[in-house]
Amino acid sequence: MKKEFMDAAVALSKEGLASGLGGPFGAVVVKDGVIVGRGHNQVTGTNDPTAHAEVVAIRDACKNLNAFQLTGCDLYTSCEPCPMCLGAIYWARPDRVFFANSRKDAAAIGFDDDFIYQEIPKPISERSLPMLHLPHQEALQIFNEWKIKADKTEY
């Protein structure tokens, strides 16, 4: 880990705090010793609940690298990723994640994601958000077509 990259993520969290666009979170994506993606939380400023620092940084890095995966990259974030960001990070496939504050630190200032962590392992029927399975034949057929598609780009 290089301190300068965590310093950059923390500086972005301070920028996010000052901007009023969202919470005090920042993140950078690094490849070959160079920052290739930057982001701070922009949830309230963009009315986008997915605009967390890590997601913004991942989007920026993917755009700058012209790639949909971040293999060979490290992600530095000012706080342990929430469940949504953790999912996005796994899909982006960076090599490593470094974080400064813990999720307990985030909970102490009002950002408590523990209820989501508790919901994930529950059976669908026991989750607090109703999720109803509506099987659809055409939707299944499209999946079957994807399965046999010869020229697909897997991810």
Side-chain angles (χ1 to χ4, degrees), residues 4-21:
E4 68 185 274
F5 300 132
M6 186 58 77
D7 289 347
V10 171
L12 283 164
S13 74
K14 188 173 184 177
E15 183 181 320
L17 174 68
S19 73
L21 296 176

Side-chain angles (χ1 to χ4, degrees), residues 54-65:
E54 296 91 340
V55 172
V56 173
I58 288 168
R59 290 174 181 164
D60 188 44
C62 288
K63 180 183 76 168
N64 292 333
L65 295 172

Side-chain angles (χ1 to χ4, degrees), residues 15 23 33 86 117:
E15 183 181 320
L86 188 59
Y117 283 105

Side-chain angles (χ1 to χ4, degrees), residues 145-153:
E145 289 176 25
W146 171 261
K147 184 177 179 179
I148 63 172
K149 185 175 172 58
D151 63 343
K152 66 185 169 200
T153 301

Side-chain angles (χ1 to χ4, degrees), residues 2 6 22 25 31 35 53 58 70 76 97 112 119 124 129 131 138 147:
K2 291 198 173 183
M6 186 58 77
F25 304 96
K31 183 169 183 132
I35 294 175
I58 288 168
L70 298 176
Y76 291 78
V97 176
D112 193 354
E119 286 283 302
I124 291 173
L129 177 63
M131 296 189 169
E138 186 177 2
K147 184 177 179 179

Side-chain angles (χ1 to χ4, degrees), residues 29-149:
V29 177
V30 177
K31 183 169 183 132
D32 299 327
V34 176
I35 294 175
V36 295
R38 301 172 187 273
H40 64 76
N41 186 291
Q42 299 177 33
V43 169
T44 59
T46 60
N47 293 319
D48 179 354
T50 69
H52 289 201
E54 296 91 340
V55 172
V56 173
I58 288 168
R59 290 174 181 164
D60 188 44
C62 288
K63 180 183 76 168
N64 292 333
L65 295 172
N66 194 32
F68 57 83
Q69 293 183 342
L70 298 176
T71 306
C73 296
D74 290 331
L75 185 129
Y76 291 78
T77 179
S78 65
C79 188
E80 182 178 354
C82 75
M84 177 189 68
C85 291
L86 188 59
I89 290 165
Y90 271 99
W91 278 114
R93 294 177 174 85
D95 291 355
R96 296 178 295 185
V97 176
F98 299 94
F99 63 93
N101 295 321
S102 71
R103 66 189 196 197
K104 288 182 181 178
D105 296 327
I109 63 164
F111 293 93
D112 193 354
D113 302 321
D114 191 54
F115 77 97
I116 300 172
Y117 283 105
Q118 291 178 23
E119 286 283 302
I120 291 170
K122 289 181 181 178
I124 291 173
S125 63
E126 294 178 21
R127 292 181 182 162
S128 62
L129 177 63
M131 296 189 169
L132 308 168
H133 183 206
L134 296 175
H136 192 285
Q137 191 58 41
E138 186 177 2
L140 185 57
Q141 179 58 37
I142 292 167
F143 269 23
N144 290 332
E145 289 176 25
W146 171 261
K147 184 177 179 179
I148 63 172
K149 185 175 172 58

